[in-house]
Amino acid sequence: MTAATDAAFDMRPTHSISPAEPGRQARRTPSESRTTQLIAACVAVSVIGSGLYYSSEPPIAGRVWETTIGSLLILMMIGIVAFQGGRRAPWLAIWAGLSSAFVGGLLAAHPALSPINTESPSIVDVLRLMNYPLGALGVLILMFRADRRVGWRASLESALLIGSGAAVIWTTFLQPLAAESDLSTAAGRVAVAYPLADLLLLAVLVVLVMHLDNRPGPLLLVVAALTGNLAADVAFGAQSLRGEATPGTFIDIGWLLCFAAFAAAPSWPASPQTRLVADDGRLGVVRLSLLIAGAILVPAIAVAQTLSGRSPDSYLLVSGLALSALALGRLAVFNHDLDRGRAHATQLASDLADNNAKLRQSRLEQRQLLDRVHTLIEQERTKIATEIHDRPLQNLVSVGYQLQHLTVLLDRGDTDAATDIAERASTQLAAQLGELRDLMTDIRPPVLDASGLTGALADRAAAVEADHPELSVIVRGDCGRLDTDLETALYRITNEALANVIRHSQATTATLTLCRNEDHVTLTCADDGIGFDPQSVDGFVSQGHFGIAGIRERIELLAGAVTIASAPSGTTLVLTAPIDRSANANRTATTQ
Amino acid sequence: MSQHNDPSASNPNRPVTPDLRVLIADDVDVLRTVLTELLNATEGIEVCAHAADGDEAVDLALATRPDAILMDLKMPRKDGITAAKEILSAWPEAKIIINSAFADKALIQSALDAGVIGYQTKDRRPTELIDLLLQLRQG
């Protein structure tokens, strides 16, 4: 019988029964309703068919049987066409085997249809026996397509099972019968052929079942039915050899079950968990037992024969040797797989160690970065404290002294001098307020929060021009409002760039250009100064300035980038940053 | 109100105490100027020299030998405590008062250890500084 392999084995590449076809797009997954309909149809046909078959008389029963089986075959073909897109070849092999058996049955029932003699053994038996190799072929193709390694190993085990099974059945049941009757007749041979063919397919199926990690319904049903058939065929063969063959109707129900299960199999709904499991270093109790049994069973029979006084058949001894060799071969393959598994595990362990080392490294870098950030913060604070100490504090103390002076003058009644001092103190206070406001702006410009980067840069440009009349700073373009973080960082970076222009470039014009597109903002700072060597790094922080390396690091934290081009005719800094930083979160991580 | 009247002025029979000669050492120009004007306007005090950094302070102190030296702490080229130590090592009788914006105890202690006779923080009212100087004047 054909392998009622679960129709929609897992499509995943790892050992799935269904072949992975690279070129194909996503397969049409069977819709629930259609698969249910087909399976329901198979069940209905089987139930009605068997009911009618057993309740009607032979001529009609035969027609009922043929109709039922024919309908099941049609349903199976529908299922194959509809749901087994790239796997048709093996399924068609299975279907061809079943159809061959069906045609054989038709010819047996209607001898007039065939030009050849249909008396057993005949073309009928050939057609019926063709079912088994075709079915086994279909199953093997499914397994090999899913995983070649599993395919070969499963084939070894199947061969072992078939060999030892055949030897056992022959020795225990059929040989004694054959000794009594004439096996040279074709009829005798055919009587033996059926059980052996059953055994072939059954062994292949059992091995398949052993390799699946999830046993679907149809498959188990077919295995059960086939086992029943094997028993029945052995019995039938025994009867044939004794010349007592009668068509046994109880065998037919087994056939019907097989046909029905196979018909439904291509339409069985996808079972995502079902897949082939390769040897993972464990042979398992069942498989190991089968291997051992296969290896020692036939020699054991030979020993039993010897002990009972008979000399063991030579072919039995030879087959015993072959089977033992096969079993040992399978164990050798298993050992090889074990080694590969170990090597793989070692590789995994080494990869893990590498990853751990990388993780430690990146944690270390992260700590260093945090340290640097804290250092920066402290340096900023120191800078601010120093600025406050140097100017505002001293100036206010001076105003205090002037007020005291004022008191002394008023005591003396020198109002003119007092007025003079008062005015000077007032002027000084006003100047100091201006400086404090500048300091505050330096710390965080209110215009940045109020009107965004464009406005803040315009203000800054004006301030720089006021302090450095030889430099002209032009602001062009607009970037609208951005995230506070982004605006602040770009503002600081631009200030740093401008500071560099002022300090080093001897430029007369600096142009700041803002530009915004869908997901990026670009800021260009170009000057016409003497240029510098972009390779030389200023060092991260000095006197509160953070240099080119600092600009780069700061913009990269925003998932952005900076390019610097410098020539004796001028320098151009181009900063780009994504407007939405979260969209580029991965880039930040990999920029390290 | 008038805390700074010279007691000797009201008594014509007492000998006139000369004005206290003060050297001001501070790197902030505006503060130096204003303090100079204030002290000069104060009865009994006269600014005889001013220095803008530590080196100048040492040179002028040793050259003019003022009665009191007002020394800022944070100055370029040489800070106040170093200058004070230098002055005191050459002229142990020097009377140095630190006049600084900083007020932490460690600094005060190290200044006193250096040998200064007083430590005034700039956030105090100027009258305290003036009183201190006038006390020196009395002896």
Side-chain angles (χ1 to χ4, degrees), chain A residues 455-468:
Chain A
L457 286 182
D459 271 17
R460 189 81 189 109
V464 166
E465 279 182 337
D467 285 342
H468 304 273

Side-chain angles (χ1 to χ4, degrees), chain A residues 263-522:
Chain A
S267 315
W268 198 257
S271 172
Q273 302 306 319
T274 307
R275 27 182 214 108
L276 277 184
V277 181
D279 290 326
D280 58 355
R282 286 180 318 112
L283 210 45
V285 173
V286 171
R287 236 208 246 76
L288 196 57
S289 312
L290 282 172
L291 277 178
I292 293 171
I296 68 173
L297 206 52
V298 174
I301 293 172
V303 167
Q305 283 186 339
T306 313
L307 288 177
S308 66
R310 296 164 48 195
S311 63
D313 303 311
S314 51
Y315 61 82
L316 199 67
L317 293 172
V318 168
S319 63
L321 200 62
L323 289 171
S324 299
L326 210 59
L328 289 172
R330 181 67 184 94
L331 283 173
V333 168
F334 170 72
N335 193 39
H336 168 73
D337 288 340
L338 206 59
D339 281 341
R340 280 178 59 173
R342 255 193 233 113
H344 181 57
T346 311
Q347 179 63 37
L348 284 177
S350 134
D351 286 345
L352 188 66
D354 281 345
N355 279 349
N356 282 349
K358 280 192 196 127
L359 197 65
R360 270 195 296 273
Q361 179 64 24
S362 85
R363 277 215 200 100
L364 189 67
E365 277 166 14
Q366 193 182 43
R367 261 201 297 274
Q368 286 171 342
L369 199 66
L370 276 172
D371 280 345
R372 253 205 324 226
V373 167
H374 286 305
T375 308
L376 254 187
I377 292 175
E378 283 315 308
Q379 276 166 337
E380 276 292 306
R381 296 178 92 116
T382 307
K383 179 182 142 192
I384 293 171
T386 309
E387 288 214 22
I388 293 178
H389 169 274
D390 286 350
R391 298 304 299 268
L393 189 142
Q394 308 289 356
N395 288 346
L396 288 175
V397 169
S398 307
V399 171
Y401 290 155
Q402 281 173 324
L403 285 176
Q404 181 59 32
H405 194 174
L406 201 56
T407 314
V408 169
L409 290 173
L410 286 174
D411 261 359
R412 255 188 260 160
D414 189 348
T415 48
D416 288 337
T419 313
D420 185 46
I421 296 291
E423 268 186 40
R424 283 167 54 196
S426 175
T427 310
Q428 187 158 336
L429 204 55
Q432 190 46 61
L433 284 170
E435 285 192 18
L436 271 175
R437 196 190 48 235
D438 288 346
L439 182 63
M440 180 189 67
T441 302
D442 192 46
I443 294 171
R444 177 150 193 92
V447 64
L448 193 59
D449 296 321
S451 45
L453 185 61
T454 318
L457 286 182
D459 271 17
R460 189 81 189 109
V464 166
E465 279 182 337
D467 285 342
H468 304 273
E470 71 280 5
L471 177 64
S472 149
V473 184
I474 305 165
V475 180
R476 288 212 291 248
D478 195 338
C479 64
R481 294 310 304 260
L482 305 162
D483 280 349
T484 310
D485 287 351
L486 185 55
E487 281 183 340
T488 308
L490 287 175
Y491 180 75
R492 298 270 180 239
I493 294 173
T494 313
N495 277 351
E496 179 64 22
L498 280 175
N500 285 336
V501 167
I502 294 166
R503 266 186 300 165
H504 304 303
S505 73
Q506 302 173 24
T508 55
T509 312
T511 312
L512 302 172
T513 314
L514 286 164
C515 165
R516 174 183 180 147
N517 69 18
E518 233 177 74
D519 54 359
H520 272 81
V521 62
T522 309

Side-chain angles (χ1 to χ4, degrees), chain A residues 6 8-12 14-17 211-216 269-277:
Chain A
D6 202 47
F9 281 121
D10 186 24
M11 311 289 252
R12 286 175 287 183
T14 49
H15 316 305
S16 78
I17 279 282
H211 274 100
L212 290 173
D213 69 347
N214 180 11
R215 279 83 202 234
S271 172
Q273 302 306 319
T274 307
R275 27 182 214 108
L276 277 184
V277 181

